[in-house]
Amino acid sequence: MASKELLDHCMELLAPLGPLRSRRMFGGWGIYAGDFFIAIIAFDQLYLKADAQTRPLFEAAGCAPFQYEREGQVMRLNYFVAPEEAMESPALMDAWGRLALGAALRAATAKKPPKKSKSKPKTGTAKPGSKMATKRQA
């Protein structure tokens, strides 16, 4: 189980991202910036959300992916351990937290269905006095 002290420390580190909230999950914690899920605290580690755009940055920094075993298979999620030096201060964590927030925003945008058009379909009948009605009368 992840400690409340670690959660408090991570919330302080990520505070520059804006209003945060946490939620208990699977013996650990989930951290949200607004409505966006940006981090997991599990196995006494802070894991930040990543995607195809940010994964190379986490890998280049030597950050390990979030993984666990289920039914004999290793499962990986798009979260990476925060760099050790970033765990020292909010200023050092800022860039990494923003990468996590960006990945969460992109994930949320990708899930949204396209908006339906609000324009009314054309029925083919012209209103009296309109250019279309005048052309049809000619």
Side-chain angles (χ1 to χ4, degrees), residues 18 27 56 68 88 108:
Y68 62 97
E88 300 300 319

Side-chain angles (χ1 to χ4, degrees), residues 14-69:
L14 295 167
L17 296 178
L20 300 174
R21 63 185 171 87
S22 62
R23 191 174 115 185
R24 298 277 298 153
M25 334 177 65
F26 310 111
W29 299 90
I31 298 176
Y32 296 80
D35 292 330
F36 301 101
F37 191 68
I38 61 164
I40 297 169
I41 297 175
F43 313 118
D44 293 319
Q45 297 275 335
L46 172 64
Y47 294 87
L48 299 170
K49 184 155 184 70
D51 61 7
Q53 185 174 328
T54 60
R55 186 178 303 110
L57 298 169
F58 283 98
E59 290 171 343
C63 302
F66 179 86
Q67 58 188 28
Y68 62 97
E69 191 174 321

